[in-house]
Amino acid sequence: MKKTIVLALGGNALGNDLPGQMAAVKTTSVVIADLIAQGYRVVVTHGNGPQVGMITGAFEAASKTEAKSPVLPMSVCVALSQGYIGYDLQNALREELLNRGINKPVATIVTQVEVDAADPSFKNPAKPIGAFYSKEEAEALSRKGFEMREDAGRGYRRVVSSPKPVDIIEKETVKAMLDADQLVITVGGGGIPVIRDGNTLRGANAVIDKDWASAKLAEMIDADMLIILTAVEKIAINFGKPNEQWLDKLTSADAQRYIDEKHFAPGSMLPKVEAALSFSRSKKGRKALITLLNKAKDGIEGKTGTIIGD
């Protein structure tokens, strides 16, 4: 059977605005098509930082005009970002594959990711999003259920939680598409955060780290490898110091030790290494690779990047 790869695209693979995104996905599609041409089954995941920021900013700005558009819950903003990123990405992938004579269906799944209502992050939302508000505006939004926090004297901003993923709601659909030899784009922006209440899934005011969500997806569809694409070719310890050391391969024990020694920056490399370690530990033989987009093929072949796994 073909090996299955979950490929988690970083922000540099998607651009920072609409024209940049349309250009970036063309380059990104070449790399993904190369892997498919080599015989791998590929599931594509991606972040949404700049895109979801544009969406929240636009609706927040509109809420202050005569139009009085509603300020949208974070779960809805993530859903919107999944749609328009997926639209550009799937069309670029379809074109690249057809140009190579590969007739493979490509589709984006609007994906929900379950989080635990008891996750500790809900007690202390800390991730700021969107525009700045006056105290009076912030109090009005608080009455509507939004968590607001003063931001370094610049005004008030919405803050949301960042809980860990516990389940991928559409995992069976992803697996069915894979088994039908289709290319799947899923878990966009870490997935739409939802909390299970009986048979009901309700949106959570949160964002999920896309690398953690990608690792959970890779685990649940029994992928062989998780590839986390980032802005560096390899990860390093003592980064930026005279004794900086770039790493080719890490055992699970080494990765955990470096995490405990705080070699990786929170909000940057730390969640990538933690997610990679989580996947590699989930089943014997699973490996995770952290590298650059254009080095993915070489990384799979063991020529570059950082491999995590025993």
Side-chain angles (χ1 to χ4, degrees):
M1 183 180 288
K2 296 178 180 178
K3 286 192 173 183
T4 300
I5 294 171
V6 171
L7 190 71
L9 302 176
N12 59 336
L14 297 173
N16 292 314
D17 53 30
L18 288 173
Q21 177 172 298
M22 293 187 73
V25 295
K26 294 281 189 183
T27 303
T28 299
S29 294
V30 172
V31 176
I32 297 170
D34 284 344
L35 297 178
I36 291 169
Q38 286 184 281
Y40 294 106
R41 301 198 308 173
V42 179
V43 175
V44 179
T45 69
H46 61 80
N48 69 346
Q51 295 85 357
V52 82
M54 286 189 287
I55 291 168
T56 55
F59 277 92
E60 286 176 343
S63 72
K64 298 179 181 181
T65 68
E66 291 182 5
K68 298 192 183 304
S69 298
V71 174
L72 297 182
M74 200 62 202
S75 56
V76 176
C77 293
V78 174
L80 289 170
S81 73
Q82 283 189 1
Y84 94 78
I85 294 171
Y87 161 64
D88 277 347
L89 191 51
Q90 72 186 32
N91 281 345
L93 282 164
R94 178 182 178 276
E95 180 181 355
E96 180 64 30
L97 291 170
L98 288 174
N99 286 345
R100 299 179 185 215
I102 301 173
N103 188 11
K104 180 186 288 288
V106 186
T108 300
I109 298 176
V110 176
T111 313
Q112 301 171 98
V113 174
E114 183 183 352
V115 297
D116 187 347
D119 190 289
S121 71
F122 283 114
K123 294 182 179 179
N124 184 32
K127 189 172 181 63
I129 60 165
F132 291 93
Y133 290 89
S134 67
K135 184 177 181 180
E136 292 75 18
E137 291 170 329
E139 288 172 348
L141 284 171
S142 293
R143 288 192 292 271
K144 293 180 180 179
F146 294 101
E147 189 80 23
M148 307 297 294
R149 187 169 297 173
E150 200 276 331
D151 191 333
R154 297 178 294 176
Y156 291 78
R157 296 180 78 186
R158 290 167 63 191
V159 289
V160 298
S161 306
S162 187
K164 291 289 192 299
V166 298
D167 191 16
I168 310 298
I169 302 299
E170 287 78 20
K171 57 186 178 294
E172 291 92 351
T173 306
V174 174
K175 194 73 167 60
M177 291 177 68
L178 263 180
D179 291 343
D181 200 30
Q182 299 185 25
L183 176 54
V184 191
I185 302 164
T186 181
V187 192
I192 303 164
V194 294
I195 294 170
R196 194 185 297 269
D197 183 8
N199 290 332
T200 300
L201 298 173
R202 54 184 175 85
N205 191 34
V207 292
I208 303 168
D209 180 87
K210 61 94 177 168
D211 295 314
W212 272 105
S214 300
K216 177 58 70 174
L217 173 73
E219 176 187 337
M220 301 192 91
I221 65 171
D222 197 23
D224 299 286
M225 177 174 274
L226 168 66
I227 303 178
I228 297 177
L229 300 176
T230 187
V232 292
E233 189 168 340
K234 300 179 182 182
I235 65 175
I237 56 173
N238 303 310
F239 183 72
K241 299 177 181 177
N243 59 340
E244 178 180 88
Q245 180 184 348
W246 297 96
L247 305 170
D248 298 317
K249 188 176 187 334
L250 285 177
T251 64
S252 297
D254 285 340
Q256 187 62 62
R257 178 162 57 87
Y258 292 143
I259 289 170
D260 294 342
E261 291 173 356
K262 303 188 185 305
H263 279 282
F264 309 118
S268 178
M269 190 56 73
L270 178 60
K272 299 180 188 305
V273 178
E274 289 179 327
L277 177 59
S278 174
F279 173 70
S280 69
R281 281 176 165 172
S282 63
K283 185 178 179 180
K284 186 177 180 180
R286 288 176 175 169
K287 305 285 186 184
L289 167 68
I290 300 176
T291 193
L292 289 166
L293 172 67
N294 61 2
K295 296 291 184 179
K297 177 175 174 290
D298 288 342
I300 293 170
E301 295 171 356
K303 298 176 182 177
T304 190
T306 304
I307 292 281
I308 297 176
D310 297 323

